[in-house]
Structures are given as structure tokens and as C-alpha cells.
Amino acid sequence: MIRDITIGQYYPVDSKIHRLDPRTKILLTFAYIIALFLVDTVWGYLGVMLSLALAIKISKVPLKYMLKGLKSIVFILLFTVVLNIFFTPGEHIILEWGFLKITWEGILFAVEMGTRLILLIVGSSLLTLTTSPIQLTDGIESLLMPFTKIHVPAHEIAMMMSISLRFIPILLEETDKIMKAQTARGADFETGNIMQRAKAMIPIMVPLFISAFRRAEELAMAMEARCYQGGKGRTRMNKLQYSGRDYIAFGCGVAYIVMCIIL
């Protein structure tokens, strides 16, 4: 399951979405999330799925690779669905057992929330899969730059977000190494109930935290050695600049939001 987490990873391939300006992709991702929470009909969700499938096709990221990231949230997805089924009030009761009630409205709401969560994870991961950490940092900093007039540290916020995303695959790789080392010493992470598996994860957490703090200290020392002083006076080798394909993408984003509102 550790190897199945794709959030924060970059999939290097040449596609039209990869060549878009990072600011365009960030704004379109926000538009996608907003529109996803606006729709509440079957046709609306079908429109969102069609738009997402088209974006994945253009990005040239394998669909199997993107869906693999959903394995890591299966427990959260099932937990959300079960809670909504049993605790959503409604008039059409299907099954009643004590204080637990399964209603038709609860089932519909659970399906809607599950579908929305899946589309949210897949759509959001498309941003990190098609945008390198450096581009993502530059895009976030550029979008936050107008807020520097009210003393918002745009560069520092963008840097922290980029480092956080970059640390996800590094920590996952470190977790995988620790689990393999523990398995070689006789540890068992695959059998037993939920509580037994949770207890088996405790020997992993201590070395993982030590490794994370060590890597963070090494990164801080490297930044100090390079006289890093924040974003003041810094220049970029590749300056961000909108092109014709970005304006076409913005037009598609506007059409997408209008379609979701209509549906």
C-alpha cells in the first residue's frame, strides 16, 4: 500500500498539460474542486467524470497509475461511506436496528460523497503528477505575490508547501525500506485484525520520525550553507509566462464551470 501512494509524485512525460504554465494548472485545479462541490445531479457528475477523463488522456499519465493512488484511501473512503449510510436521516427507511437506520436518502448521499471523494483525489493528484516541484513552487509564489503588500510571506509559504510535497515520496520510500528491514527480522504487517496491524506499525514510526528529523536537519544545513535568505532579491532562470495554450486552457476551465452549473 505504501508504494501505491502517488500524491506528491511527478510523472515525467511530454504532454500538453505538462507544458502548461503552473499557475494555469493551479487555478484550473481550484476551479475543478469548486465545480465538483457545486454539482449534485447524475448528469453533473457524468460531466465532471468526462472532463477528468479527457484531462487524464491529454496528460498521457496512465489511468492505472492514477487509480493506484486510491488504494491508500480505501479505509477512509469506506469509513466515510458507512458513516453516511447509517447516520444520514431520511424518510424512506430500508432497515432499522436499534438506533441505526439505513435510509434511501442515506445510501444516495453515501454514494455521492464516495464519488466526490474519488474524483477529488484523482483530480488533485493530476496537478502534482504533471507539475514538477520547482514549477509548483514558482506558480504558488507568483499567485501569492499580490498578497505581499499586506505582509504575506509568499515565497516562504510556497517553499514550505513545495518541500512538504517533495517529502511525501521520500518518506514513503523510507517507510518501505524500514518495513522491509522489519520483515526480514520476522515482523508481520499483513495478518491480524485492525488493532494488531496498528500495533505492528509502532516499530516503524520511531525510526521513521528519526529519519524525517534527520533529513529536515540536513536540508536546513544545506540551505544555510547556500546562504538562503528567503525570496528577497532572488531571480529565476526560467521566468513564468502565459502562452496561447494557457489561454485556451482557461477558456476550457470557464466552459467546464458553466457546464457544471447548468447540469
Side-chain angles (χ1 to χ4, degrees):
M1 184 176 293
I2 295 296
R3 304 187 191 95
D4 295 330
I5 299 177
T6 58
I7 299 175
Q9 299 186 18
Y10 175 64
Y11 192 87
V13 68
D14 185 24
S15 71
K16 294 180 180 179
I17 294 184
H18 281 73
R19 292 194 295 268
L20 287 175
D21 190 282
R23 295 170 294 182
T24 303
K25 288 183 277 190
I26 293 172
L27 293 175
L28 289 179
T29 302
F30 274 109
Y32 169 80
I33 295 174
I34 293 172
L36 179 60
F37 284 91
L38 287 177
V39 298
D40 57 356
T41 63
V42 176
W43 292 108
Y45 283 108
L46 288 177
V48 173
M49 292 179 186
L50 181 62
S51 302
L52 181 59
L54 181 61
I56 295 174
K57 180 68 175 179
I58 297 174
S59 69
K60 296 182 180 179
V61 178
L63 180 61
K64 183 179 180 181
Y65 183 83
M66 298 200 66
L67 295 179
K68 184 176 67 172
L70 294 175
K71 294 181 181 180
S72 58
I73 65 163
V74 169
F75 177 76
I76 299 176
L77 183 63
L78 292 177
F79 184 72
T80 304
V81 170
V82 170
L83 280 182
N84 285 292
I85 288 178
F86 285 102
F87 294 100
T88 300
E91 298 179 355
H92 302 84
I93 300 176
I94 299 177
L95 181 63
E96 185 174 2
W97 184 53
F99 66 95
L100 297 177
K101 295 181 181 179
I102 299 179
T103 63
W104 179 246
E105 291 82 1
I107 294 176
L108 292 179
F109 188 72
V111 172
E112 182 180 1
M113 290 300 296
T115 304
R116 187 173 288 174
L117 184 59
I118 292 173
L119 294 175
L120 178 64
I121 296 298
V122 176
S124 301
S125 62
L126 187 63
L127 172 63
T128 56
L129 288 171
T130 59
T131 312
S132 65
I134 296 177
Q135 290 179 333
L136 195 60
T137 302
D138 292 342
I140 295 173
E141 182 181 357
S142 178
L143 291 174
L144 293 177
M145 194 59 66
F147 297 98
T148 55
K149 296 180 180 180
I150 56 176
H151 305 289
V152 174
H155 177 79
E156 286 73 11
I157 292 176
M159 180 64 71
M160 287 189 294
M161 294 179 66
S162 176
I163 291 175
S164 301
L165 289 174
R166 188 65 187 92
F167 258 62
I168 292 175
I170 293 176
L171 292 179
L172 292 178
E173 182 181 356
E174 192 72 22
T175 304
D176 189 45
K177 290 180 181 179
I178 295 172
M179 290 182 67
K180 288 180 179 179
Q182 297 284 358
T183 303
R185 291 170 174 83
D188 187 9
F189 304 104
E190 302 296 332
T191 60
N193 54 33
I194 296 178
M195 294 301 298
Q196 291 174 340
R197 292 189 181 186
K199 290 181 180 179
M201 297 296 291
I202 295 177
I204 299 177
M205 302 306 296
V206 176
L208 181 62
F209 272 107
I210 295 175
S211 175
F213 285 122
R214 186 183 70 249
R215 288 182 179 272
E217 184 179 5
E218 292 174 353
L219 177 61
M221 293 177 63
M223 294 174 73
E224 279 188 17
R226 290 165 175 79
C227 301
Y228 176 77
Q229 298 293 333
K232 186 177 181 180
R234 292 180 64 87
T235 59
R236 297 181 180 84
M237 184 175 66
N238 298 317
K239 293 186 177 181
L240 299 179
Q241 188 175 1
Y242 288 114
S243 62
R245 55 176 172 263
D246 294 295
Y247 294 110
I248 295 175
F250 277 127
C252 294
V254 173
Y256 164 75
I257 293 178
V258 172
M259 177 197 68
C260 291
I261 293 176
I262 293 175
L263 292 177

